[in-house]
Amino acid sequence: MRVTVKDYKIVFNVEGEAFDNLVTECLNDGWELYGNPWAHQEAGNPIVTLYQAIFRDTAVIIEGDDIPEE
C-alpha cells in the first residue's frame, strides 16, 4: 500500500501586493492552493487580512506488498 503524506498550512498577510507575493513564493516552492482565499477585517479597522490554505506532498510511504522483490 502506498500512502502520500501531505503538509498543510495557512499563509496570511495584509491585502495587496504583500499577500500576492507571499502566495506566489509558496507556489514557486512547490506548494499548491487548497481552496479559495478568505478575508478578515475587524470592525472599525481599515486593514483587511487575507488567508490562503496551501498544501504539498512531502512523502510517500510504501508498505510490504508494494516493495518489489529483487
Side-chain angles (χ1 to χ4, degrees):
M1 174 168 72
R2 293 173 186 250
V3 178
T4 302
V5 178
K6 296 181 182 293
D7 280 344
Y8 293 87
K9 71 177 179 177
I10 307 293
V11 293
F12 61 94
N13 209 327
V14 294
E15 181 179 34
E17 190 175 339
F19 177 77
D20 296 342
N21 290 339
L22 175 61
V23 173
T24 299
E25 287 176 20
C26 291
L27 294 174
N28 290 339
D29 287 342
W31 292 87
E32 297 179 51
L33 299 178
Y34 186 75
N36 296 320
W38 67 96
H40 176 76
Q41 182 178 19
E42 294 288 333
N45 188 344
I47 297 172
V48 175
T49 303
L50 296 177
Y51 300 82
Q52 176 65 58
I54 57 177
F55 76 97
R56 68 177 170 188
D57 294 340
T58 56
V60 175
I61 300 170
I62 301 173
E63 294 183 1
D65 296 340
D66 287 347
I67 301 172
E69 294 182 22
E70 295 191 25

PDB file of all heavy atoms in Angstrom, residues 49-64:
ATOM      1  N   THR A  49      -7.068  41.480   6.285  1.00  0.00           N
ATOM      2  CA  THR A  49      -6.092  40.390   6.249  1.00  0.00           C
ATOM      3  C   THR A  49      -6.650  39.276   5.369  1.00  0.00           C
ATOM      4  O   THR A  49      -7.793  38.868   5.535  1.00  0.00           O
ATOM      5  CB  THR A  49      -5.818  39.848   7.662  1.00  0.00           C
ATOM      6  OG1 THR A  49      -5.361  40.930   8.482  1.00  0.00           O
ATOM      7  CG2 THR A  49      -4.756  38.765   7.632  1.00  0.00           C
ATOM      8  N   LEU A  50      -5.827  38.794   4.425  1.00  0.00           N
ATOM      9  CA  LEU A  50      -6.216  37.697   3.552  1.00  0.00           C
ATOM     10  C   LEU A  50      -5.513  36.423   4.000  1.00  0.00           C
ATOM     11  O   LEU A  50      -4.364  36.464   4.456  1.00  0.00           O
ATOM     12  CB  LEU A  50      -5.851  37.998   2.102  1.00  0.00           C
ATOM     13  CG  LEU A  50      -6.557  39.188   1.467  1.00  0.00           C
ATOM     14  CD1 LEU A  50      -6.038  39.407   0.047  1.00  0.00           C
ATOM     15  CD2 LEU A  50      -8.049  38.980   1.455  1.00  0.00           C
ATOM     16  N   TYR A  51      -6.190  35.289   3.848  1.00  0.00           N
ATOM     17  CA  TYR A  51      -5.683  33.981   4.238  1.00  0.00           C
ATOM     18  C   TYR A  51      -5.798  33.036   3.049  1.00  0.00           C
ATOM     19  O   TYR A  51      -6.759  33.107   2.285  1.00  0.00           O
ATOM     20  CB  TYR A  51      -6.504  33.402   5.390  1.00  0.00           C
ATOM     21  CG  TYR A  51      -6.491  34.247   6.636  1.00  0.00           C
ATOM     22  CD1 TYR A  51      -7.345  35.334   6.764  1.00  0.00           C
ATOM     23  CD2 TYR A  51      -5.636  33.944   7.683  1.00  0.00           C
ATOM     24  CE1 TYR A  51      -7.348  36.108   7.901  1.00  0.00           C
ATOM     25  CE2 TYR A  51      -5.635  34.712   8.832  1.00  0.00           C
ATOM     26  CZ  TYR A  51      -6.484  35.794   8.935  1.00  0.00           C
ATOM     27  OH  TYR A  51      -6.481  36.563  10.071  1.00  0.00           O
ATOM     28  N   GLN A  52      -4.829  32.133   2.907  1.00  0.00           N
ATOM     29  CA  GLN A  52      -4.887  31.119   1.860  1.00  0.00           C
ATOM     30  C   GLN A  52      -4.354  29.805   2.414  1.00  0.00           C
ATOM     31  O   GLN A  52      -3.247  29.759   2.958  1.00  0.00           O
ATOM     32  CB  GLN A  52      -4.049  31.529   0.643  1.00  0.00           C
ATOM     33  CG  GLN A  52      -3.967  30.485  -0.449  1.00  0.00           C
ATOM     34  CD  GLN A  52      -5.322  30.209  -1.096  1.00  0.00           C
ATOM     35  OE1 GLN A  52      -5.948  31.114  -1.625  1.00  0.00           O
ATOM     36  NE2 GLN A  52      -5.766  28.971  -1.057  1.00  0.00           N
ATOM     37  N   ALA A  53      -5.143  28.745   2.282  1.00  0.00           N
ATOM     38  CA  ALA A  53      -4.684  27.406   2.658  1.00  0.00           C
ATOM     39  C   ALA A  53      -3.872  26.838   1.498  1.00  0.00           C
ATOM     40  O   ALA A  53      -4.235  27.008   0.333  1.00  0.00           O
ATOM     41  CB  ALA A  53      -5.871  26.509   2.967  1.00  0.00           C
ATOM     42  N   ILE A  54      -2.764  26.172   1.825  1.00  0.00           N
ATOM     43  CA  ILE A  54      -1.911  25.555   0.811  1.00  0.00           C
ATOM     44  C   ILE A  54      -1.474  24.178   1.295  1.00  0.00           C
ATOM     45  O   ILE A  54      -1.567  23.861   2.481  1.00  0.00           O
ATOM     46  CB  ILE A  54      -0.678  26.429   0.483  1.00  0.00           C
ATOM     47  CG1 ILE A  54       0.153  26.715   1.736  1.00  0.00           C
ATOM     48  CG2 ILE A  54      -1.090  27.727  -0.196  1.00  0.00           C
ATOM     49  CD1 ILE A  54       1.424  27.525   1.473  1.00  0.00           C
ATOM     50  N   PHE A  55      -1.019  23.344   0.358  1.00  0.00           N
ATOM     51  CA  PHE A  55      -0.547  22.010   0.720  1.00  0.00           C
ATOM     52  C   PHE A  55       0.540  21.564  -0.237  1.00  0.00           C
ATOM     53  O   PHE A  55       0.714  22.138  -1.310  1.00  0.00           O
ATOM     54  CB  PHE A  55      -1.706  21.000   0.707  1.00  0.00           C
ATOM     55  CG  PHE A  55      -2.132  20.587  -0.677  1.00  0.00           C
ATOM     56  CD1 PHE A  55      -1.657  19.414  -1.240  1.00  0.00           C
ATOM     57  CD2 PHE A  55      -2.989  21.377  -1.415  1.00  0.00           C
ATOM     58  CE1 PHE A  55      -2.042  19.041  -2.524  1.00  0.00           C
ATOM     59  CE2 PHE A  55      -3.379  21.009  -2.688  1.00  0.00           C
ATOM     60  CZ  PHE A  55      -2.903  19.835  -3.246  1.00  0.00           C
ATOM     61  N   ARG A  56       1.277  20.530   0.170  1.00  0.00           N
ATOM     62  CA  ARG A  56       2.243  19.882  -0.714  1.00  0.00           C
ATOM     63  C   ARG A  56       2.463  18.452  -0.242  1.00  0.00           C
ATOM     64  O   ARG A  56       2.301  18.142   0.943  1.00  0.00           O
ATOM     65  CB  ARG A  56       3.558  20.642  -0.784  1.00  0.00           C
ATOM     66  CG  ARG A  56       4.372  20.634   0.487  1.00  0.00           C
ATOM     67  CD  ARG A  56       5.672  21.353   0.282  1.00  0.00           C
ATOM     68  NE  ARG A  56       6.356  21.543   1.560  1.00  0.00           N
ATOM     69  CZ  ARG A  56       7.427  22.269   1.717  1.00  0.00           C
ATOM     70  NH1 ARG A  56       7.965  22.898   0.698  1.00  0.00           N
ATOM     71  NH2 ARG A  56       7.978  22.399   2.898  1.00  0.00           N
ATOM     72  N   ASP A  57       2.814  17.597  -1.204  1.00  0.00           N
ATOM     73  CA  ASP A  57       3.170  16.217  -0.876  1.00  0.00           C
ATOM     74  C   ASP A  57       4.573  16.223  -0.294  1.00  0.00           C
ATOM     75  O   ASP A  57       5.481  16.840  -0.853  1.00  0.00           O
ATOM     76  CB  ASP A  57       3.146  15.342  -2.125  1.00  0.00           C
ATOM     77  CG  ASP A  57       1.744  15.189  -2.688  1.00  0.00           C
ATOM     78  OD1 ASP A  57       0.783  15.425  -1.948  1.00  0.00           O
ATOM     79  OD2 ASP A  57       1.624  14.832  -3.864  1.00  0.00           O
ATOM     80  N   THR A  58       4.750  15.535   0.837  1.00  0.00           N
ATOM     81  CA  THR A  58       6.070  15.537   1.471  1.00  0.00           C
ATOM     82  C   THR A  58       6.719  14.162   1.510  1.00  0.00           C
ATOM     83  O   THR A  58       7.920  14.066   1.657  1.00  0.00           O
ATOM     84  CB  THR A  58       5.985  16.080   2.908  1.00  0.00           C
ATOM     85  OG1 THR A  58       5.034  15.317   3.637  1.00  0.00           O
ATOM     86  CG2 THR A  58       5.595  17.535   2.908  1.00  0.00           C
ATOM     87  N   ALA A  59       5.915  13.103   1.381  1.00  0.00           N
ATOM     88  CA  ALA A  59       6.492  11.758   1.446  1.00  0.00           C
ATOM     89  C   ALA A  59       5.506  10.754   0.876  1.00  0.00           C
ATOM     90  O   ALA A  59       4.309  10.994   0.831  1.00  0.00           O
ATOM     91  CB  ALA A  59       6.828  11.379   2.884  1.00  0.00           C
ATOM     92  N   VAL A  60       6.052   9.643   0.448  1.00  0.00           N
ATOM     93  CA  VAL A  60       5.234   8.510   0.053  1.00  0.00           C
ATOM     94  C   VAL A  60       5.684   7.333   0.893  1.00  0.00           C
ATOM     95  O   VAL A  60       6.870   6.996   0.923  1.00  0.00           O
ATOM     96  CB  VAL A  60       5.381   8.177  -1.448  1.00  0.00           C
ATOM     97  CG1 VAL A  60       4.606   6.912  -1.790  1.00  0.00           C
ATOM     98  CG2 VAL A  60       4.908   9.344  -2.297  1.00  0.00           C
ATOM     99  N   ILE A  61       4.759   6.738   1.618  1.00  0.00           N
ATOM    100  CA  ILE A  61       5.072   5.597   2.474  1.00  0.00           C
ATOM    101  C   ILE A  61       4.652   4.342   1.728  1.00  0.00           C
ATOM    102  O   ILE A  61       3.518   4.227   1.270  1.00  0.00           O
ATOM    103  CB  ILE A  61       4.335   5.703   3.822  1.00  0.00           C
ATOM    104  CG1 ILE A  61       4.762   6.981   4.544  1.00  0.00           C
ATOM    105  CG2 ILE A  61       4.579   4.464   4.664  1.00  0.00           C
ATOM    106  CD1 ILE A  61       3.937   7.300   5.762  1.00  0.00           C
ATOM    107  N   ILE A  62       5.578   3.423   1.593  1.00  0.00           N
ATOM    108  CA  ILE A  62       5.298   2.165   0.902  1.00  0.00           C
ATOM    109  C   ILE A  62       5.372   1.049   1.933  1.00  0.00           C
ATOM    110  O   ILE A  62       6.361   0.918   2.645  1.00  0.00           O
ATOM    111  CB  ILE A  62       6.329   1.910  -0.213  1.00  0.00           C
ATOM    112  CG1 ILE A  62       6.300   3.055  -1.223  1.00  0.00           C
ATOM    113  CG2 ILE A  62       6.049   0.582  -0.894  1.00  0.00           C
ATOM    114  CD1 ILE A  62       7.375   2.984  -2.263  1.00  0.00           C
ATOM    115  N   GLU A  63       4.309   0.258   2.003  1.00  0.00           N
ATOM    116  CA  GLU A  63       4.273  -0.839   2.958  1.00  0.00           C
ATOM    117  C   GLU A  63       4.300  -2.176   2.238  1.00  0.00           C
ATOM    118  O   GLU A  63       3.679  -2.350   1.195  1.00  0.00           O
ATOM    119  CB  GLU A  63       3.015  -0.737   3.817  1.00  0.00           C
ATOM    120  CG  GLU A  63       2.985   0.469   4.712  1.00  0.00           C
ATOM    121  CD  GLU A  63       1.746   0.494   5.592  1.00  0.00           C
ATOM    122  OE1 GLU A  63       0.934  -0.437   5.507  1.00  0.00           O
ATOM    123  OE2 GLU A  63       1.605   1.444   6.354  1.00  0.00           O
ATOM    124  N   GLY A  64       4.987  -3.119   2.800  1.00  0.00           N
ATOM    125  CA  GLY A  64       5.067  -4.523   2.437  1.00  0.00           C
ATOM    126  C   GLY A  64       4.841  -4.947   1.013  1.00  0.00           C
ATOM    127  O   GLY A  64       5.772  -5.120   0.256  1.00  0.00           O
TER     128      GLY A  64
END
